[in-house]
Amino acid sequence: MIRLRSAVDEHLRENPAADGFVSRQLMASTPSTLRIEGDGNLQSMLVGAMMRKIKSRTWKKQRYFKLQDDCMTIWYKSKKAGNAHSTFSVSEVEAVREGHQSEVLLSIANEFPANRCFTLVFRGRKGNLDLVAESAEEAQSWIRGIRKLIENVENMGEREKLDQWISDWFKKADKDRDGRMNFKEVRDLLKMMNVDMNEHHALRLFTLADKSCSGSLEDDEFVLFYKMLTQREDVLTVFQEFSSDGQTLSHRDLEDFLREEQLEGDNVQQHAMHLIEQYEPSETAKMLNIMTFDGFLMYLSSTEGSIFNPQQRGIYQNMTLPLCHYFISSSHNTYLMEDQLRGQSSVEGYIRALNRGCRCVEVDCWDGPSGEPIVYHGHTFTSKILFKDVVTTVGNYAFKVSEYPVILSIENHCSVEQQRVMARHLSHILGEKLLRKPLDGHASTGLPSPENLKGKILVKAKKIGGLEENIGALVEDSMSGEVSDDDDVAEMEEENLHRDSVRGRRKKSKQCLSKELSDCVIYCKSFHFRSFKHSQMHSKFYEVASFTESKARKYLKESGAEFVQHNSRQLTRVYPTGFRTDSSNFHPQEMWNAGCQIVALNFQTAGEGMDLNDGLFSQNGCCGYVLKPSFMRQTKSGFDPETPQKQEDYQPVLLTIQVISGQQLPKVNIKEGSIVDPLVRVEIHGVPMDQAKQETRYIENNGFNPVWQDSLRFTIHTPELALVRFVVEDYDKTSKNDFVGQYTVPLTCMQQGYRHIHLLSRDGTSIPPSSLFVHVRITEV
């Protein structure tokens, strides 16, 4: 065995790249470099091209665009800007749309043909970049080239992402662009990287790395400097605890680690072999069926080593139960990009929501000019868009990221004539995607499942009569009927209250509804809720109640168990109060606690509400549907979120999280010399008894590799509903802490043992390689 160990050591001595994070070649080039040769599109992008950047019908300016040599950065400047230029990273780009697929490009469609136009869509909430190339061939070259680069980024492993990150820092620090860094540049780099190091220690590391004694670091010397800077003593301690010889993990050592620490009981032997094959960089170690420290760190930094259980990433839940048994990712005032009073309305809001897995979008419809219904936030200064453009967009994007049904929640303020136009647009544009009749051709006794409704768009709106009206042949005569405006009072009551000071109180009246639009409503009829008792006796399974957040909160406090039972039979929609003119969000967890399915949030507003929404729906393939716990699906369930301890099969758990360390946290304060003082707050979001938060101490002046080793403990009474949110903040003793990053995960999706948490930005986008290293234990109380 000693001979084998020395063989590995010898191999690693001869091949330092196998032992380190980055080889010299990766500093001189990128993972993409080898793929450029022979690729005409990338070669063309490296040369660059003059294109028009379009911001509006009147703002169309020429810019020179060029792909940088790192094949990760796109650079552009105007002819008149002198040395001024802008750049963005390919990793920021989510998708490329061809042709007139944005409102801006549609507005200049008569001027520039579709085959010269394309749109770059950025991650998070950053605006699109609309471009017009000089020729159709040039447009195709950039479209194909950028798509290839996006694919390359998405296929990068953790090692390549880290290589890219180091390469980016090298370029930022190399101010004079000579491919080497002097000590002053290194000192500035440390500040940029959130490292507060005294000059003597920094100089010592610099001197050790400067093997050529040239007074500057280049390529592999910088890699060595980075390795010394980022030694993971925390992971090394764990590694050596399980290593028989302190140098490597034998197959048996790795099995012990997986079984004892990671609590992986099934097929541990096979899993250990897979991890060595997948993450061990040394071919010699692979042949010997052992894992070096480098391989161990790569495993812990990977998706398999993350806190989110990869087995729950894909569709793993039963999708054949009634719709009301699922939480449904839902958007409020989807058309708005900003606030509720003066914000821009745009079809882009629908594209972004649907691409995030949202399955219920809202459309506020009003009479428009030329007989065409419009969509906007009524009685405000928000801009207006055409209803038919919204329907077209929903039809195009409904099933790009999830094949499960989309609910079009229509708030109808239109005249009968324009309602007929709405019905025509729905039928003609959506075609077979629009659900026009009950699935079996006859009224059943319960809602169909997401599985049965795959690829279908359902309309939620007011309806004349019941579901029975849609059975059999459709009535040919154009008819209209009256429905009480009470049916929609829940949709508007708080907003009306809010506007009372501006205009007179609206009188309740009868609203006329066209038969054509009514026939488009199948399983989601809006109805006026009176009481849980009345609903239990009289309401139909296809009727959907809408509550403002304050009304839902009132019912939750007064009749929690009845609310849960109601939601086991039919759908409920909860939406923000009209007083939230800034498009802020309420706390969605309290509505999920009652089993409310359609909890509508302002997707355009980043913050805790959307973090929780993203966290809940990050499981089950991000398909927009998450199965409710079994005790919320039983019609005779006695579960009350206010008193979970009275539930049958009540089993609380103890969650223990040791926050060990952080890695490469982003800099949040742009002041020169400012360095993060990070702390970690762990929040539990669940039933009222489970709502809790605890913090680590803060670490002064170290956002690069802070170490806490702080343990936090929580008793959780309803683990099936709990979400765990990790928040990193920059501590400030004189003002509010600055947000650094966060990650939210359902407790039921958490892996135990030593895990990395890959942090997300305020927008919900990843910020590699920023992470936390934690140890997780969940035990029954």
Side-chain angles (χ1 to χ4, degrees):
M1 194 65 187
I2 293 170
R3 195 155 39 88
L4 293 179
R5 294 276 185 261
S6 58
V8 173
D9 293 342
E10 186 178 335
H11 171 79
L12 295 177
R13 276 197 301 275
E14 291 170 3
N15 300 276
D19 182 39
F21 284 118
V22 192
S23 67
R24 174 175 182 142
Q25 177 201 5
L26 287 165
M27 282 307 301
S29 60
T30 72
S32 312
T33 307
L34 299 174
R35 302 170 196 179
I36 294 173
E37 291 172 23
D39 191 308
N41 298 320
L42 295 181
Q43 295 281 10
S44 173
M45 288 173 69
L46 285 164
V47 173
M50 189 67 76
M51 290 189 274
R52 280 183 177 83
K53 179 182 175 184
I54 315 289
K55 283 190 179 178
S56 68
R57 202 176 294 174
T58 53
W59 199 103
K60 306 181 281 268
K61 305 217 170 156
Q62 288 206 315
R63 297 285 184 266
Y64 188 73
F65 286 81
K66 185 178 184 299
L67 177 66
Q68 300 291 75
D69 291 341
D70 64 355
C71 283
M72 278 295 292
T73 310
I74 291 173
W75 171 100
Y76 64 96
K77 64 177 285 189
S78 73
K79 285 179 176 177
K80 303 172 185 174
N83 291 326
H85 66 273
S86 301
T87 62
F88 60 86
S89 171
V90 172
S91 62
E92 295 174 56
V93 183
E94 189 173 83
V96 186
R97 295 187 205 145
E98 293 185 56
H100 301 139
Q101 286 204 58
S102 75
E103 281 165 314
V104 169
L105 290 179
L106 277 168
S107 72
I108 50 102
N110 294 334
E111 194 176 346
F112 300 105
N115 61 8
R116 286 172 53 194
C117 301
F118 62 99
T119 302
L120 301 188
V121 182
F122 291 94
R123 297 180 190 281
R125 291 167 176 81
K126 184 176 176 180
N128 297 342
L129 178 59
D130 292 300
L131 298 171
V132 179
E134 292 295 304
S135 68
E137 293 72 31
E138 196 159 69
Q140 274 303 310
S141 187
W142 277 78
I143 289 164
R144 285 195 292 259
I146 293 174
R147 281 179 178 161
K148 180 166 186 176
L149 293 172
I150 292 170
E151 184 185 0
N152 186 48
V153 169
E154 287 172 350
N155 291 333
M156 273 187 187
E158 293 303 317
R159 177 182 292 268
E160 286 178 301
K161 285 179 189 171
L162 193 57
D163 295 342
Q164 186 60 52
W165 191 77
I166 299 168
S167 174
D168 289 345
W169 277 118
F170 187 90
K171 274 178 280 183
K172 279 182 193 172
D174 184 17
K175 293 282 170 55
D176 52 12
R177 301 281 185 269
D178 63 352
R180 59 183 70 219
M181 279 198 294
N182 58 38
F183 181 63
K184 182 185 180 305
E185 288 174 325
V186 166
R187 211 174 48 207
D188 292 342
L189 170 71
L190 292 174
K191 283 181 183 166
M192 282 194 283
M193 291 175 109
N194 256 332
V195 183
D196 183 31
M197 189 180 286
N198 70 53
E199 194 150 328
H200 174 73
H201 186 48
L203 184 60
R204 190 175 72 84
L205 289 184
F206 180 88
T207 307
L208 284 169
D210 183 16
K211 299 291 185 187
S212 61
C213 301
S214 63
S216 62
L217 305 183
E218 53 185 302
D219 292 356
D220 52 347
E221 291 176 333
F222 176 70
V223 174
L224 180 60
F225 175 79
Y226 177 85
K227 280 180 66 180
M228 288 189 285
L229 200 63
T230 57
Q231 284 184 56
R232 291 290 302 272
E233 296 296 333
D234 50 351
V235 178
L236 186 62
T237 302
V238 178
F239 178 82
Q240 289 178 334
E241 185 185 333
F242 282 87
S243 170
S244 304
D245 63 356
Q247 300 294 316
T248 62
L249 290 177
S250 68
H251 190 280
R252 184 71 173 272
D253 293 339
L254 187 53
E255 277 186 48
D256 290 345
F257 173 74
L258 294 174
R259 193 179 293 109
E260 294 169 25
E261 278 301 339
Q262 309 300 74
L263 300 187
E264 296 179 13
D266 300 332
N267 299 321
V268 168
Q269 189 174 11
Q270 202 173 343
H271 192 207
M273 287 175 68
H274 158 75
L275 293 180
I276 292 170
E277 185 58 38
Q278 184 75 22
Y279 300 107
E280 177 50 54
S282 162
E283 291 301 322
T284 307
K286 275 186 190 177
M287 283 192 296
L288 299 170
N289 202 21
I290 59 177
M291 186 176 258
T292 62
F293 173 69
D294 230 19
F296 185 66
L297 181 53
M298 290 311 296
Y299 151 60
L300 286 178
S301 304
S302 73
T303 306
E304 288 184 83
S306 80
I307 197 164
F308 199 109
N309 187 342
Q311 292 176 357
Q312 288 166 296
R313 282 274 181 211
I315 304 277
Y316 72 96
Q317 294 179 334
N318 180 358
M319 301 301 286
T320 64
L321 300 175
L323 272 186
C324 55
H325 287 181
Y326 298 84
F327 296 120
I328 303 171
S329 181
S330 306
S331 159
H332 174 63
N333 288 354
T334 315
Y335 48 88
L336 288 179
M337 302 294 287
E338 300 159 35
D339 67 70
Q340 311 276 314
L341 295 178
R342 297 175 180 276
Q344 178 197 1
S345 301
S346 170
V347 296
E348 196 64 42
Y350 292 91
I351 296 171
R352 292 187 180 192
L354 291 166
N355 281 345
R356 285 179 81 163
C358 178
R359 297 289 86 189
C360 180
V361 295
E362 188 183 13
V363 193
D364 283 2
C365 304
W366 300 78
D367 280 356
S370 309
E372 280 292 345
I374 55 173
V375 174
Y376 83 113
H377 199 40
H379 309 293
T380 66
F381 297 104
T382 58
S383 61
K384 302 168 176 71
I385 53 179
L386 291 174
F387 176 75
K388 65 180 179 183
D389 289 345
V390 170
V391 177
T392 300
T393 301
V394 171
N396 288 339
Y397 287 89
F399 306 110
K400 282 191 182 290
V401 301
S402 170
E403 55 190 345
Y404 292 104
V406 166
I407 299 170
L408 211 54
S409 181
I410 293 180
E411 192 175 300
N412 173 18
H413 305 272
C414 291
S415 62
V416 171
E417 291 73 21
Q418 294 213 9
Q419 288 177 41
R420 289 183 182 128
V421 176
M422 287 167 63
R424 278 202 301 277
H425 287 327
L426 288 167
S427 298
H428 294 161
I429 296 169
L430 299 180
E432 290 297 308
K433 291 176 186 171
L434 179 68
L435 188 71
R436 294 300 308 271
K437 57 186 178 182
L439 289 184
D440 301 328
H442 58 83
S444 59
T445 54
L447 289 167
S449 70
E451 187 67 30
N452 290 336
L453 291 167
K454 268 184 182 176
K456 290 295 180 187
I457 295 171
L458 285 67
V459 173
K460 175 198 160 293
K462 288 178 283 187
K463 182 176 180 64
I464 305 165
L467 188 57
E468 299 73 25
E469 311 290 323
N470 293 76
I471 297 159
L474 290 173
V475 179
E476 288 184 19
D477 294 337
S478 183
M479 298 165 58
S480 66
E482 285 188 341
V483 289
S484 166
D485 235 10
D486 279 355
D487 286 3
D488 223 25
V489 163
E491 290 284 328
M492 297 170 278
E493 58 185 4
E494 289 211 18
E495 292 179 37
N496 286 334
L497 283 170
H498 181 58
R499 295 173 192 146
D500 276 349
S501 57
V502 182
R503 57 192 174 88
R505 179 71 173 159
R506 180 178 61 92
K507 288 182 182 177
K508 288 182 185 177
S509 61
K510 299 280 186 183
Q511 181 187 16
C512 279
L513 200 62
S514 84
K515 178 82 167 75
E516 294 90 339
L517 186 58
S518 175
D519 282 343
C520 292
V521 180
I522 306 300
Y523 292 118
C524 298
K525 176 190 174 181
S526 298
F527 87 110
H528 177 56
F529 179 84
R530 289 175 174 80
S531 70
F532 290 121
K533 188 173 181 181
H534 181 275
S535 179
Q536 188 173 6
M537 292 171 66
H538 301 289
S539 68
K540 304 286 199 298
F541 66 86
Y542 52 81
E543 292 178 328
V544 184
S546 282
F547 302 125
T548 59
E549 55 176 289
S550 48
K551 184 63 72 71
R553 216 171 271 127
K554 176 175 172 285
Y555 287 134
L556 188 55
K557 292 279 182 200
E558 293 173 357
S559 320
E562 286 182 280
F563 207 168
V564 173
Q565 281 181 27
H566 173 86
N567 289 326
S568 70
R569 296 188 305 270
Q570 55 200 105
L571 293 168
T572 295
R573 176 174 172 266
V574 182
Y575 59 97
T577 170
F579 295 100
R580 292 184 181 271
T581 54
D582 59 351
S583 291
S584 59
N585 282 312
F586 59 89
H587 195 280
Q589 183 67 49
E590 54 186 336
M591 309 309 167
W592 293 326
N593 289 342
C596 298
Q597 303 87 349
I598 303 173
V599 179
L601 298 178
N602 288 300
F603 269 51
Q604 73 272 32
T605 306
E608 181 184 80
M610 278 308 298
D611 291 345
L612 297 177
N613 198 76
D614 289 344
L616 176 65
F617 292 103
S618 59
Q619 61 183 309
N620 206 34
C622 297
C623 75
Y625 285 85
V626 168
L627 188 62
K628 295 198 284 188
S630 59
F631 55 79
M632 300 187 104
R633 308 197 301 262
Q634 297 153 8
T635 49
K636 295 198 173 155
S637 165
F639 175 72
D640 185 336
E642 294 289 328
T643 55
Q645 69 276 21
K646 293 181 182 176
Q647 180 199 341
E648 204 177 322
D649 302 327
Y650 166 66
Q651 180 55 70
V653 298
L654 177 67
L655 171 66
T656 305
I657 295 173
Q658 184 187 19
V659 181
I660 301 169
S661 63
Q663 293 75 46
Q664 289 101 57
L665 303 176
K667 195 180 177 87
V668 292
N669 196 322
I670 54 171
K671 281 188 208 162
E672 195 175 340
S674 172
I675 291 168
V676 170
D677 300 331
L679 63 81
V680 179
R681 183 172 64 254
V682 178
E683 304 171 350
I684 308 298
H685 298 267
V687 298
M689 278 182 76
D690 290 341
Q691 292 289 133
K693 54 181 75 170
Q694 293 180 38
E695 290 179 352
T696 66
R697 64 213 152 87
Y698 70 91
I699 304 295
E700 206 166 336
N701 286 340
N702 187 354
F704 190 73
N705 54 0
V707 175
W708 292 279
Q709 298 284 4
D710 288 354
S711 288
L712 313 174
R713 289 179 182 82
F714 304 89
T715 299
I716 301 177
H717 301 272
T718 312
E720 298 90 340
L721 285 172
L723 293 171
V724 185
R725 184 171 180 248
F726 296 84
V727 186
V728 182
E729 289 184 342
D730 180 11
Y731 173 76
D732 192 321
K733 59 176 174 253
T734 58
S735 62
K736 188 181 174 189
N737 293 349
D738 287 322
F739 175 89
V740 174
Q742 72 85 33
Y743 189 81
T744 305
V745 57
L747 180 69
T748 53
C749 295
M750 281 172 68
Q751 297 200 97
Q752 299 192 59
Y754 287 100
R755 303 292 173 184
H756 276 96
I757 297 168
H758 301 283
L759 294 172
L760 303 175
S761 70
R762 192 180 293 281
D763 271 342
T765 54
S766 62
I767 39 176
S770 300
S771 64
L772 298 175
F773 187 48
V774 299
H775 183 269
V776 178
R777 268 295 171 267
I778 303 170
T779 52
E780 289 188 353
V781 176

